């Protein structure tokens, strides 16, 4: 069978879930994406959208690389590979039910599971480490501390010694020490007196540095440390950490002490508790025990690699060089496990190339018993590292269309239409039983006592405000998509000053096996329920069906008093136009579909779309807004034009003041726009008859369609500043005045 040829006769319908964005997983995903795995949905769960490449981290600390150079963008990579990406932290497993528990999501099921979550310095077993030191991992936390430390040291003239200690005489410890020293030396090149006050210490529990390397490497590196004035404390085994002090208390009567102003921990790797707590066979230190196939010795459908794994047949140091080499055999064995084929053992290399940097664009190379050093070694290392990163930084268009990542239960041609395309009643009953019913007393008949239709009682003194919104899926995280779809649908209700009352759902789910459909529907509806519960409103009914792709929408009912109703027609000359959220979701997700949007850009956009407009609506009303709309599919220009035409007014707009999401302008500069952008732009000439643009800045952002966008309102000029202050206090950080209504 040719690669990527769909085999509809033997569908698999399986979930392969990878936990952690370690080096082995990154390599494995890039390989699995090119293989033909019909009916298999691949999911990566990682606690961060960016994962650092450990080999380049010292270079980042030293100032030789930028942050982007040393981090793999998992979000963009997964989009390119056709893999579902979930940003969350795993908290536990149910190995019998094959279920994964996360901090911020409902449980995920799996058929085959792989774990590559790395390790962190052990800050638990030695008293005081957690309180008075910081580990080099998690990397994002360490980099934040390193940034703050630089700011502190560079903000003043140093007149007394500052002692910085790195606990750990291995490669990580010595590289971090020299990298930090080099960066500060460069930053203080014009303040030599201050730099001379900085004293660096390496604390090694061994009688030498780099104990896993050969003697030639140890000697060369020791010379570098001596030359740069880094003091090494050999055979110092920390038994406790006090504020500003390390203690080696092996000799209780005469303990060794080392006073330090900053303590950094780069030794004693530890594992999280949840793999062992779940029942996986683990070592005493909590590392998952696997065989030569990287398969758990206790649970055959679970694999592990990288630092979190202890390969019983072939023990090796916990180093990135071994994790990278595990990527291909891991991908091979995961595929074999999915196909039910025999696994293949992997024997890691006994000798390996080691490249240890010295901070100043020089490095020491070794393999076996030889060693070499110099600037050329660093450039060699740099070329190897950059080649590895290009595998993930130079991503083309998505390799696998999103629909190919679905888990087909049977060929699409065999699926019925009409009412035969409905989702089955047993699935619906099980999902409904798990949804919130806290506010069902607002309805006469709702989900807890299902009937042919929902029945609502509308108070005689209230107006019913009703709106409907629906769209196709644009992110792979069903739980977040449910929240965004709910927020988007509520936007019209909040724009009109109404209080949400109830909702009905309209869901189309891709063809899949029964258990996959059930979990997907549950995630969607739990996400939506989270938003609706916050608004104290129930889901009272809806309709679910099968289709070629996932879509989700809601009919929203709201109530309001007639004198509180906000329409588009109330703008008055002199009103300040206030926009509560940034623009750019259309271009950003058009870029994301093409693999051109960076993970942090997409993450920021999702965070904005998850923000409800409810508080903003109340604040705008309290500051005497008389006209309001939500900025969605027609873009800012389209929705503002509707307000101006209804109000028979014109407006002056300051393009330079528009809040824009990170990455939007970069993508637009490359010609990346939403597919709706050109239709929105057809009103350009008409728009300019109503809107004068105060700045000559490019106006493309005005036509960008927004999903779950902000509110746009006209507020009296004397209320504008107070309104903005209250909006920003409420969390609408980018709210701003973008223009003024004129006659």
């Amino acid at each position: 069978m040719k690669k990527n040829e769909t085999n509809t006769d033997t569908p698999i319908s399986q979930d392969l879930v990878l936990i952690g964005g370690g080096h082995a997983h990154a390599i494995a995903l890039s390989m699995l994406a090119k293989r033909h795995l019909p009916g298999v949905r691949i999911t990566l769960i990682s606690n961060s959208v960016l994962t650092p490449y450990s080999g380049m981290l010292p270079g980042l600390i030293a100032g030789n690389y930028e942050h982007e150079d040393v981090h793999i963008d998992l979000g963009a990579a997964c989009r390119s590979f056709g893999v579902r990406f979930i940003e969350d932290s795993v908290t536990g497993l149910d190995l019998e039910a094959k279920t994964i528990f996360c901090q911020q999501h409902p449980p995920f099921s799996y058929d085959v599971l792989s774990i590559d979550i790395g390790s962190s310095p052990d800050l638990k077993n030695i008293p005081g480490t957690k309180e008075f030191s910081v580990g080099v991992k998690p990397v994002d936390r360490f980099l934040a501390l390193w940034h703050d430390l630089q700011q502190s040291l560079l903000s003043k003239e140093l007149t007394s010694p500052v002692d910085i200690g790195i606990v750990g005489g291995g490669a990580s410890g010595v590289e971090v020490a020299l990298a930090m020293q080099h960066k500060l030396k460069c930053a203080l090149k014009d303040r030599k007196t201050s730099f001379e006050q900085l004293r660096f210490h390496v604390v090694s529990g061994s009688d030498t540095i780099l104990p896993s390397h050969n003697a030639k490497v140890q000697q060369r590196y020791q010379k570098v440390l001596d030359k740069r004035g880094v003091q090494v404390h050999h055979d110092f085994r920390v038994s406790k950490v006090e504020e500003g002090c390390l203690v080696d208390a092996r000799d209780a009567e005469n303990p060794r002490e080392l006073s330090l102003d900053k303590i950094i921990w780069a030794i004693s790797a530890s594992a999280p508790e949840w793999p062992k707590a779940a029942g996986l066979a683990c070592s005493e230190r909590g590392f998952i025990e696997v065989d030569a196939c990287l398969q758990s010795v206790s649970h055959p459908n679970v694999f592990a690699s990288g630092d979190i794994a202890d390969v019983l047949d072939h023990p090796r140091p916990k180093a990135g060089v071994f994790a990278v080499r595990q990527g291909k055999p891991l991908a091979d064995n995961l595929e074999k496990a999915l196909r039910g084929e025999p696994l293949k053992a992997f024997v890691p290399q006994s000798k390996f190339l080691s490249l240890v940097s010295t901070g100043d664009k020089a490095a020491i190379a070794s393999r076996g018993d030889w060693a070499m050093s110099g600037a050329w070694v660093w450039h060699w290392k740099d070329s190897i590292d950059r080649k590895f990163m290009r595998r993930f930084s130079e991503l083309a268009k998505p390799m696998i269309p999103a629909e190919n990542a679905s888990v087909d239960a049977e060929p699409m041609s065999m699926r019925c239409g009409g009412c035969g395309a409905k989702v089955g009643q047993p699935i619906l009953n099980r999902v409904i039983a798990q949804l919130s019913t806290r506010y069902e007393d607002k309805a006469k008949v709702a989900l807890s006592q299902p009937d042919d239709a929902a029945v609502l009682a509308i108070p005689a003194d209230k107006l019913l405000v009703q709106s409907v919104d629906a769209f196709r899926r644009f992110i792979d995280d069903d739980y977040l998509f449910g929240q965004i779809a709910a927020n988007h649908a509520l936007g019209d209700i909040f724009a009109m000053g109404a209080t949400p009352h109830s909702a009905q759902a309209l869901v189309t789910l891709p063809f899949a096996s029964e258990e996959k459909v059930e979990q997907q529907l549950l995630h969607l509806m739990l996400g939506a329920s989270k938003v609706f519960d916050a608004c104290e409103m129930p889901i009272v009914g809806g309709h679910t069906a099968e289709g070629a792709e996932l879509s989700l929408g809601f009919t929203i009912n709201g109530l309001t008093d007639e004198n509180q109703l906000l329409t588009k027609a109330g703008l008055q000359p002199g009103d300040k136009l206030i926009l509560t959220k940034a623009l750019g979701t259309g271009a950003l997700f058009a870029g994301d579909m093409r693999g051109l949007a960076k993970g942090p850009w997409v993450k920021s956009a999702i965070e904005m779309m998850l923000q409800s407009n409810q508080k903003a609506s109340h604040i705008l009303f309290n500051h005497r807004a008389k006209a309001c709309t939500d900025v969605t599919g027609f873009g800012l220009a389209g929705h503002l034009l509707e307000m101006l035409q209804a109000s028979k007014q014109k407006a002056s707009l300051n393009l330079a003041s528009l809040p824009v999401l990170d990455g939007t302008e970069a993508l637009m500069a490359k010609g990346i726009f939403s597919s709706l952008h050109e239709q929105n732009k057809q009103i350009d000439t008409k728009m300019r008859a109503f809107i004068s643009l105060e700045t000559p800045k490019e106006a493309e952002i005005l036509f960008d369609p927004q999903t779950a966008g902000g509110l746009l309102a006209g507020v009296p000029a004397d209320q504008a500043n107070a309104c903005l202050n209250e909006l920003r206090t409420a969390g609408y950080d980018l709210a701003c005045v973008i223009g003024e209504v004129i006659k």
Side-chain angles (χ1 to χ4, degrees), residues 167-324:
V167 181
S172 176
V174 295
E175 282 190 299
V176 167
L178 289 183
M180 293 174 69
Q181 186 193 53
H182 177 74
K183 179 64 181 291
L184 290 171
K185 181 179 180 181
C186 293
L188 294 170
K189 62 182 179 180
D190 297 326
R191 295 161 57 190
K192 188 176 180 181
T193 303
S194 285
F195 177 71
E196 289 173 349
Q197 297 292 344
L198 297 176
R199 302 189 302 203
F200 284 85
H201 304 258
V202 170
V203 179
S204 176
S206 172
D207 57 3
T208 181
I209 57 166
L210 299 170
S212 63
H213 291 67
N214 67 51
K216 294 176 183 177
V217 176
Q218 295 169 359
Q219 292 165 7
R220 287 174 184 255
Y221 217 96
Q222 185 64 59
K223 286 182 180 179
V224 175
L225 292 170
D226 292 342
K227 183 178 179 181
R228 299 191 190 168
V230 177
Q231 187 174 352
V232 180
H233 303 268
H234 293 294
D235 194 30
F236 193 115
R237 299 182 187 178
V238 180
S239 53
K240 67 176 179 177
V241 181
E242 299 174 349
E243 187 171 5
C245 183
L246 297 176
V247 180
D248 180 349
R250 285 177 293 173
D251 184 348
E253 295 182 359
N254 188 27
R256 292 173 66 184
E257 295 185 353
L258 177 61
S259 296
L260 297 168
D261 296 290
K262 187 65 65 175
I263 301 170
I264 296 165
W265 210 260
I267 198 172
S268 300
S270 67
E273 296 176 356
W274 60 261
K276 191 171 186 177
L280 287 171
C282 294
S283 67
E284 288 185 5
R285 295 193 296 162
F287 296 105
I288 301 170
E289 295 179 335
V290 298
D291 59 19
C293 301
L294 304 177
Q295 183 182 41
S296 166
V297 297
S298 61
H299 293 78
N301 63 340
V302 177
F303 293 75
S305 55
D307 283 2
I308 192 59
D310 274 354
V311 185
L312 300 183
D313 299 335
H314 306 288
R316 293 291 187 272
K318 295 194 179 299
V321 63
F322 294 108
V324 169

Side-chain angles (χ1 to χ4, degrees), residues 312-356:
L312 300 183
D313 299 335
H314 306 288
R316 293 291 187 272
K318 295 194 179 299
V321 63
F322 294 108
V324 169
R325 292 293 182 91
Q326 289 174 341
K328 184 180 185 306
L330 177 66
D332 293 343
N333 281 329
L334 289 175
E335 180 178 358
K336 289 178 183 296
L338 290 164
R339 296 185 183 279
E341 299 173 357
L343 306 184
K344 184 177 180 180
F346 165 63
V347 180
Q349 69 273 35
S350 57
K351 293 182 180 181
F352 59 93
L353 176 65
S354 174
L355 299 166
V356 185

Side-chain angles (χ1 to χ4, degrees), residues 442 458 462-467 489-502 534-537 556-567 612-622 625 627-630 711:
K442 292 190 174 183
I458 306 300
K462 296 290 184 180
L463 297 178
L464 174 64
V465 181
Q466 193 174 76
S467 179
L490 283 163
D492 291 327
I493 302 300
F494 293 136
M496 300 200 73
T499 299
H501 177 274
S502 53
C535 296
E536 300 183 359
M537 58 184 290
I556 307 292
N557 301 309
L559 302 177
T560 188
D561 296 327
E562 189 165 0
N563 61 356
Q564 291 184 332
L565 188 66
L566 290 173
T567 68
S612 170
N613 282 322
Q614 186 171 30
K615 290 182 180 178
S617 174
H618 294 158
I619 292 168
L620 292 168
F621 182 83
N622 291 339
C628 186
T629 190
D630 61 329
L711 299 181

